[in-house]
């Protein structure tokens, strides 16, 4: 699984209709982004009726090399619940990502991957040891979505400190 706000690697592979890697492509540019969920009430964060259950950041764009690309990205899910007793977390929805790009070998072809759900832990194991879950206030750019949920990320405890509450956000 990936941890909220911490780097993880995504491998993109360009395949032909037979499932073989197209090694002749070392120039197509691909990007990874969050997938929008259609908002129930039409009040959306991007103005188009779409709401997101996660933010994606980091190295979200890459050029294929022999039909492959490795990207290091971060996913920050929006949390609708962070409770301490009993310890639990609930994301607004699944963290969904998709890869897209224009085929450099045939500029008329738009490449799009299937949608993937990023597996995120929950409860007190939401962050690895030595980290705590922090949420971002509504004053932080892009930190809240249309539903009012806050984005969260695991933050490393400062040297010489610790937290007995992994959900200190």
């Amino acid at each position: 699984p990936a941890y909220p706000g911490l780097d993880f690697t995504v491998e993109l592979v360009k395949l032909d209709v037979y499932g073989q890697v197209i090694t002749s492509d070392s120039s197509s540019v691909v990007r990874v982004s969050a997938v929008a969920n259609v908002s129930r009430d039409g009040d959306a964060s991007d103005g188009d009726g779409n709401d997101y259950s996660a933010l994606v950041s980091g190295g979200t764009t890459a050029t294929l090399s022999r039909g492959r690309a490795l990207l290091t990205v971060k996913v920050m899910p929006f949390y609708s619940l962070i409770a301490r007793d009993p310890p639990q977390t609930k994301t607004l929805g699944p963290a969904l990502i998709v890869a897209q790009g224009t085929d450099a070998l045939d500029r008329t072809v738009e490449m799009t991957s299937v949608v993937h759900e990023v597996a995120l832990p929950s409860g007190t194991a939401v962050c690895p040891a030595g980290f705590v879950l922090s949420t971002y206030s509504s004053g932080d750019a892009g930190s809240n979505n249309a539903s009012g949920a806050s984005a969260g990320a695991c933050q490393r405890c400062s040297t010489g400190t610790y937290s007995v509450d992994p959900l200190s956000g």
Side-chain angles (χ1 to χ4, degrees):
Y3 290 103
L6 299 182
D7 290 343
F8 72 99
T9 303
V10 175
E11 180 180 22
L12 303 177
V13 181
K14 183 178 177 183
L15 303 174
D16 64 16
V17 295
Y18 303 106
Q20 300 169 336
V21 179
I22 301 175
T23 58
S24 60
D25 190 348
S26 290
S27 54
S28 292
V29 176
V30 291
R31 70 185 172 286
V32 173
S33 60
V35 175
N37 299 311
V38 175
S39 176
R40 289 187 186 90
D41 60 7
D43 179 20
S45 58
D46 69 357
D48 292 327
N50 297 321
D51 201 4
Y52 293 84
S53 56
L55 299 173
V56 177
S57 65
T60 58
T61 303
T63 302
L64 295 178
S65 175
R66 299 189 43 76
R68 298 177 182 273
L70 284 177
L71 293 93
T72 301
V73 299
K74 299 174 186 182
V75 172
M76 292 177 23
F78 287 104
Y79 287 93
S80 59
L81 171 69
I82 299 176
R84 288 173 177 74
D85 191 21
Q88 60 182 319
T89 58
K90 182 179 180 186
T91 58
L92 190 61
L96 304 174
I97 60 173
V98 66
Q100 298 172 309
T102 301
D103 190 336
L105 302 177
D106 181 354
R107 297 258 181 227
T108 64
V109 175
E110 280 295 315
M111 303 179 295
T112 303
S113 74
V114 296
V115 173
H116 291 276
E117 181 176 349
V118 178
L120 296 167
S122 60
T124 57
V126 70
C127 292
F131 289 79
V132 294
L133 181 66
S134 294
T135 56
Y136 296 89
S137 70
S138 59
D140 297 328
S143 63
N144 291 78
N145 72 357
S147 301
S150 297
C154 297
Q155 299 291 321
R156 183 179 296 277
C157 295
S158 301
T159 303
T161 67
Y162 65 93
S163 175
V164 293
D165 181 3
L167 307 178
S168 70

